[in-house]
Amino acid sequence: GENVEQHPSTLSVQEGDSAVIKCTYSDSASNYFPWYKQELGKRPQLIIDIRSNVGEKKDQRIAVTLNKTAKHFSLHITETQPEDSAVYFCAATDNNAGNMLTFGGGTRLMVKP
Amino acid sequence: GAVVSQHPSRVICKSGTSVKIECRSLDFQATTMFWYRQFPKQSLMLMATSNEGSKATYEQGVEKDKFLINHASLTLSTLTVTSAHPEDSSFYICSAWHDLVRGAFFGQGTRLTVV
């Protein structure tokens, strides 16, 4: 089955700096890679996703890159703000095999004002 | 939109009783829904995949007779924790797969406390 590793587990940045979170996956059949943001006690919210037919996707201050050959993908947050503080989860799945997401271990991002 | 509603958000029950948690997709149909358990400061652990009109698929180590899942319609899946014990206390969260958007959206979660 799929295995997703996520690093770092915690990340502290100064407001305005960039944050990068990296994930690797094991199943070469995986073709859908979403990122979720979870604030304390709340539901994970889909913030951006990427499919295997593209290498990069951007939405305002957040971007995701995908390297299929190396089987890794990354989340980039620029100009971080205190409200970006949360736990971020990456995930991977094969859309052709049931859409069951395998999650990384999570990254606790702290943005210091 | 892609709104998933989960109820109740919190429940306290006595040991030995059963608790039912509902997961509804409010503005889309979901052939597939997923049930997770999340321990404090940990990732989401998939418990089972719920498919409309068929039996749920449980992950290894998850007791299907203890965690009963029913997906009777394209907008509703239920998880019943039977004969709950204190070790079942946890945050249970569902997600629904949106076939058109091709993404998963989460309910707000249920914090279960068994006393």
Side-chain angles (χ1 to χ4, degrees):
Chain A
E2 176 67 281
N3 183 48
V4 178
E5 301 277 344
Q6 183 171 346
H7 297 281
S9 56
T10 60
L11 178 60
S12 182
V13 300
Q14 207 65 41
E15 182 178 0
D17 288 349
S18 295
V20 180
I21 303 171
K22 299 182 178 182
C23 288
T24 60
Y25 61 99
S26 61
D27 189 350
S28 56
S30 288
N31 52 22
Y32 175 62
F33 308 91
W35 286 88
Y36 290 87
K37 174 184 180 182
Q38 187 178 29
E39 297 178 43
L40 190 62
K42 297 191 175 179
R43 76 182 82 196
Q45 289 195 305
L46 179 65
I47 56 171
I48 196 167
D49 57 14
I50 191 166
R51 300 182 195 274
S52 58
N53 57 340
V54 298
E56 185 173 357
K57 184 176 178 181
K58 191 174 180 181
D59 183 3
Q60 298 183 345
R61 294 187 299 108
I62 58 174
V64 58
T65 58
L66 171 66
N67 183 327
K68 284 169 54 182
T69 304
K71 289 190 279 189
H72 66 71
F73 56 113
S74 301
L75 177 72
H76 304 252
I77 306 174
T78 58
E79 300 170 32
T80 53
Q81 301 166 3
E83 49 266 38
D84 294 330
S85 297
V87 179
Y88 291 80
F89 292 100
C90 64
T93 188
D94 177 2
N95 279 157
N96 300 314
N99 302 315
M100 186 190 78
L101 290 172
T102 300
F103 285 86
T107 297
R108 185 170 300 276
L109 173 65
M110 292 167 284
V111 180
K112 295 180 285 186
Chain B
V3 182
V4 179
S5 179
Q6 185 175 339
H7 288 283
S9 56
R10 291 176 187 274
V11 59
I12 300 173
C13 71
K14 289 186 178 180
S15 195
T17 61
S18 296
V19 173
K20 181 187 278 191
I21 303 169
E22 292 189 347
C23 181
R24 292 181 185 272
S25 54
L26 298 186
D27 52 2
F28 66 99
Q29 292 184 333
T31 309
T32 307
M33 291 187 179
F34 303 92
W35 287 95
Y36 298 86
R37 187 170 177 177
Q38 188 175 34
F39 292 102
K41 297 187 178 181
Q42 292 192 24
S43 188
L44 297 120
M45 264 181 36
L46 180 66
M47 299 175 64
T49 302
S50 169
N51 292 296
E52 187 267 337
S54 64
K55 289 184 179 180
T57 304
Y58 289 83
E59 294 301 298
Q60 194 173 9
V62 178
E63 298 176 60
K64 61 180 181 180
D65 294 329
K66 180 167 185 61
F67 298 100
L68 300 179
I69 290 171
N70 184 273
H71 194 155
S73 78
L74 286 171
T75 59
L76 174 65
S77 176
T78 60
L79 167 69
T80 302
V81 183
T82 63
S83 187
H85 291 288
E87 57 265 31
D88 298 325
S89 298
S90 193
F91 190 61
Y92 293 88
I93 191 162
C94 70
S95 74
W97 184 264
H98 194 312
D99 289 328
L100 290 178
V101 172
R102 295 194 296 144
F105 298 90
F106 283 85
Q108 56 265 60
T110 297
R111 184 156 305 282
L112 169 64
T113 303
V114 185
V115 298

